[in-house]
């Protein structure tokens, strides 16, 4: 039952993060709106990564009967968000951009693709 609650919290953070992240990638950078939405996006991504660490892997091999391969994306997010933030604060826009694009591709697109695979909870919700 707790897994289901965590899944709802995960969706509540990842769905808006997906739309905000897409918007940020497509729109003009450096504006006050970009900075504000960027902070919200980073907070949502950090929250979703922390939530997923409490969700045990339901498919494939596990480490300690809990962590699966998909948790690698959580670690990617927990590294990329602070790295991107520190990069932009120090004026390293190239590094910031690289971390944010990597975060979007790895943390949203790839992890989301794996979450939709057969045997996973989201696959059952979407395709059942």
């Amino acid at each position: 039952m707790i897994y289901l609650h965590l899944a709802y919290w995960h969706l509540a953070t990842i769905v808006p993060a997906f739309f905000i992240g897409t918007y940020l990638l497509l729109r003009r950078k450096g504006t006050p709106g970009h900075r504000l939405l960027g902070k919200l996006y980073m907070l949502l991504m950090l929250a979703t990564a922390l939530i997923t660490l409490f969700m045990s892997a339901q498919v494939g091999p596990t480490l300690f009967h809990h962590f699966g391969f998909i948790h690698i994306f959580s670690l990617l997010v927990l590294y990329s968000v602070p790295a991107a933030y520190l990069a932009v604060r120090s004026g390293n826009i190239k590094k910031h951009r690289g971390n944010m694009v990597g975060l979007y591709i790895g943390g949203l697109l790839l992890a989301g693709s794996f979450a939709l695979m057969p045997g996973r909870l989201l696959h059952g919700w979407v395709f059942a």
Side-chain angles (χ1 to χ4, degrees):
M1 187 61 145
I2 188 96
Y3 183 83
L4 196 55
H5 291 303
L6 290 171
Y8 288 134
W9 280 107
H10 177 52
L11 285 174
T13 55
I14 203 65
V15 170
F18 174 77
F19 288 109
I20 292 169
T22 303
Y23 177 83
L24 289 171
L25 283 175
L26 297 174
R27 301 297 298 177
R28 186 167 174 243
K29 313 299 184 270
T31 64
H34 175 87
R35 290 192 295 272
L36 179 64
L37 284 175
K39 289 175 186 169
L40 177 59
Y41 173 70
M42 288 181 167
L43 288 173
L44 287 168
M45 290 301 290
L46 285 174
T48 204
L50 291 172
I51 290 166
T52 59
L53 291 177
F54 291 97
M55 299 172 72
S56 61
Q58 304 293 309
V59 176
T62 60
L63 178 65
F64 306 120
H65 302 290
H66 182 83
F67 298 105
F69 289 121
I70 199 152
H71 286 99
I72 293 170
F73 293 108
S74 302
L75 299 177
L76 167 80
V77 171
L78 293 173
Y79 168 80
S80 296
V81 169
Y85 180 78
L86 292 173
V88 79
R89 295 293 293 170
S90 67
N92 191 341
I93 303 304
K94 184 177 180 180
K95 183 176 180 183
H96 171 75
R97 183 182 303 119
N99 276 298
M100 295 310 289
V101 170
L103 175 65
Y104 185 84
I105 292 170
L108 287 170
L109 299 182
L110 288 174
S113 298
F114 286 123
L116 287 169
M117 294 180 85
R120 298 209 176 264
L121 181 64
L122 191 57
H123 180 272
W125 287 353
V126 172
F127 299 111

